[in-house]
């Protein structure tokens, strides 16, 4: 089922939680709503589910206008941050409960509950109570309970935030497996960029209730629409230095002139932010664009992380582990084609 959001807006009093939001969630795909806390991700999820009404705009499920439809009539499954399992019920009864509400016959609902339990790999725990399960197992039960209704849309609101780091990785892979096997259109809310990048077909990145960019994960990383997108994605964070346009290049504040193509039509003296991912540096390049000084070097196993001084700024660069550098060395810096961006210092719009 395709989901379309048209000019979706939600105000709480004078506060705009979501503003003029437009997006298409493709049928059968997993879309991540990504952004910092308070950016409006959960508000959009709650409007999709019908838990909160919209201020203006439309929500379409295929060609069906569900904007004012009751939650029970929308054909959705919900998985929350807290699993909301019934502690006095067995795993079997928790999974089957949505069908019990619909007065489905006991044998049929138990059969379907067993199928869902097998799908999420908790079929060996059907007689246990939630308190006898690990956090990851409880999350699987919550997903099975949401899927037993055969929803057209599965909504997951930060479902992994209560798990430890190792279990988060395991469970996000499981969520992706389950989503691919069922083919259900899914929306996954998270503030964790690694989580979003690893499991989604597409990512919608938000800031203060406004959509910043919608794209496939790699495109979002390689071709950020603006400075916020570039800053939000990447570990370690993208390097950022300030400067201005000079002779068709960038003069870094109190630092070298970086020879860079694609800036010939930018006004001389125009202030810019120059952003470079750590993996985009070529240290001691045969085709340098500027020079730098090594501050310190950290061995990371297969690679080294080098801190360089560019004018007033320290930047991080990855180099091969067999490349020998030490603090104080002067080096010639080249840049790869990918991961090098120039933004307008005032607006944050991408120039290059």
């Amino acid at each position: 089922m395709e989901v379309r959001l048209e000019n979706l807006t939600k105000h709480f009093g004078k506060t705009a939680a979501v503003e003029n939001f437009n997006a298409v969630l493709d049928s059968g795909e997993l879309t991540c709503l990504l952004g910092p806390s308070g950016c409006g991700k959960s508000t959009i999820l709650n409007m999709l589910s019908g838990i909160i009404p919209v201020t203006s705009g439309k929500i379409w499920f295929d060609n069906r206008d569900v904007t004012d439809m009751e939650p029970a009539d929308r054909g959705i499954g919900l998985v929350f941050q807290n699993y909301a399992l019934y502690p006095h019920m067995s795993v079997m009864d928790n999974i089957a409960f949505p069908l019990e509400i619909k007065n489905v016959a006991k044998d049929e609902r138990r059969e379907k509950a067993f199928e869902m339990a097998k799908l999420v790999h908790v079929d060996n725990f059907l007689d246990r109570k939630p308190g006898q399960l690990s956090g990851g197992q409880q999350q699987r039960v919550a997903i099975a309970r949401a899927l037993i209704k055969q929803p057209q849309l599965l909504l997951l609101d930060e479902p992994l935030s209560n798990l430890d780091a190792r279990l988060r990785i395991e469970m996000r892979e499981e969520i992706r497996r389950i989503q691919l096997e069922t083919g259900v259109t899914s929306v996954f809310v998270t503030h964790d960029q690694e989580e979003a990048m690893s499991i989604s077909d597409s990512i919608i990145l938000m800031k203060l209730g406004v959509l910043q960019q919608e794209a496939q994960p790699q495109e979002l990383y390689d071709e950020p629409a603006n400075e916020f997108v570039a800053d939000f994605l990447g570990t370690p964070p993208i390097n950022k230095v300030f400067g201005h346009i000079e002779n068709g290049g960038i003069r870094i504040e109190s630092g070298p002139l970086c020879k860079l193509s694609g800036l010939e039509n930018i006004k001389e003296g125009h202030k810019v932010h120059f952003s470079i991912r750590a993996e985009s540096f070529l240290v001691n390049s045969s085709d340098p664009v500027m020079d730098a000084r090594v501050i310190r070097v950290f061995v990371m196993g297969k690679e080294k992380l080098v801190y360089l001084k560019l004018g007033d700024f320290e930047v991080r660069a990855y180099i091969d582990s067999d490349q020998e550098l030490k603090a104080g060395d002067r080096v010639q810096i080249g840049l790869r084609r990918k991961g090098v961006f120039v933004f307008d210092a005032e607006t944050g719009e991408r120039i290059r």
Side-chain angles (χ1 to χ4, degrees):
M1 180 183 71
E2 181 187 83
V3 177
R4 297 196 319 277
L5 309 177
E6 296 180 353
N7 302 316
L8 199 63
T9 297
K10 180 61 184 178
H11 292 171
F12 295 99
K14 295 182 179 179
T15 302
V18 176
E19 194 69 53
N20 198 33
F21 189 94
N22 291 276
V24 176
L25 315 181
D26 289 335
S27 178
E29 293 197 348
L30 191 157
T31 300
C32 273
L33 292 177
L34 176 65
S37 297
C39 72
K41 307 183 297 293
S42 293
T43 301
I44 287 178
L45 205 76
N46 288 332
M47 286 191 285
L48 281 170
S49 68
I51 291 174
I52 61 174
V54 308
T55 300
S56 62
K58 293 286 186 182
I59 301 173
W60 297 87
F61 289 0
D62 285 333
N63 295 317
R64 190 165 53 122
D65 183 355
V66 301
T67 310
D68 300 315
M69 190 176 288
E70 290 296 316
D73 299 326
R74 298 192 181 199
I76 56 171
L78 281 166
V79 180
F80 296 103
Q81 182 176 341
N82 58 341
Y83 316 128
L85 301 176
Y86 299 108
H88 62 287
M89 290 184 181
S90 67
V91 167
M92 169 66 82
D93 290 339
N94 263 285
I95 296 173
F97 188 69
L99 299 186
E100 184 178 349
I101 293 175
K102 292 185 174 184
N103 295 318
V104 174
K106 183 176 181 180
D107 287 347
E108 183 181 348
R109 68 176 184 254
R110 288 180 69 85
E111 181 182 346
K112 289 186 176 180
F114 182 70
E115 290 175 6
M116 288 298 104
K118 284 185 67 176
L119 176 68
V120 302
H121 297 166
V122 293
D123 47 308
N124 292 327
F125 311 116
L126 290 173
D127 294 329
R128 295 190 187 181
K129 300 290 178 59
Q132 297 172 295
L133 303 178
S134 69
Q137 290 165 343
Q138 290 182 43
Q139 187 61 280
R140 291 169 190 265
V141 174
I143 293 169
R145 186 180 59 186
L147 290 172
I148 199 169
K149 297 182 294 182
Q150 295 183 308
Q152 292 183 291
L153 179 64
L154 180 64
L155 304 175
L156 305 109
D157 192 2
E158 304 218 28
L160 309 181
S161 57
N162 290 336
L163 305 178
D164 62 53
R166 189 184 186 94
L167 196 52
R168 284 176 74 120
I169 294 173
E170 177 187 325
M171 276 307 302
R172 77 189 187 203
E173 292 170 352
E174 279 297 285
I175 286 173
R176 183 54 166 161
R177 175 188 65 81
I178 293 163
Q179 190 273 330
L180 288 171
E181 286 190 24
T182 59
V184 61
T185 304
S186 301
V187 181
F188 187 104
V189 165
T190 183
H191 61 269
D192 186 321
Q193 53 154 318
E194 185 180 335
E195 216 163 73
M197 295 284 286
S198 64
I199 68 169
S200 56
D201 293 299
S202 64
I203 295 174
I204 295 173
L205 183 57
M206 299 179 63
K207 175 188 177 185
L208 298 176
V210 178
L211 187 151
Q212 300 296 304
Q213 189 172 356
E214 178 181 7
Q216 294 178 352
Q218 197 61 49
E219 181 185 351
L220 206 69
Y221 185 81
D222 290 339
E223 300 294 341
N226 56 44
E227 189 171 12
F228 173 79
V229 178
D231 288 350
F232 195 85
L233 296 174
T235 303
I238 196 166
N239 298 291
K240 180 158 52 178
V241 301
F242 301 163
H244 62 268
I245 301 299
E246 182 179 311
N247 296 325
I250 298 175
R251 172 66 69 179
I252 296 171
E253 287 185 7
S254 304
L257 176 67
C258 178
K259 298 174 287 183
L260 206 63
S261 62
L263 300 173
E264 295 81 11
N265 296 324
I266 308 301
K267 183 180 177 182
E268 191 82 1
H270 189 88
K271 291 186 177 181
V272 296
H273 292 166
F274 187 22
S275 297
I276 310 162
R277 299 208 183 277
E279 66 270 21
S280 298
F281 284 99
L282 297 169
V283 178
N284 278 334
S285 168
S286 59
D287 185 23
V289 296
M290 58 182 164
D291 60 0
R293 179 170 57 85
V294 176
I295 302 172
R296 51 191 176 274
V297 181
F298 295 98
V299 178
M300 312 282 288
K302 66 177 181 179
E303 57 197 0
K304 294 177 180 176
L305 184 63
V306 179
Y307 280 74
L308 303 170
K309 189 74 170 177
L310 292 176
D312 292 336
F313 305 94
E314 283 190 14
V315 297
R316 308 177 191 88
Y318 285 122
I319 62 171
D320 291 337
S321 60
D322 57 358
Q323 193 170 351
E324 295 298 331
L325 289 176
K326 62 183 185 301
D329 286 351
R330 300 294 304 187
V331 290
Q332 296 294 305
I333 301 297
L335 296 173
R336 301 184 192 277
R337 184 181 62 83
K338 282 187 175 182
V340 179
F341 313 109
V342 181
F343 301 102
D344 185 286
E346 185 174 342
T347 67
E349 293 180 5
R350 185 172 164 187
I351 296 172
R352 179 195 186 278

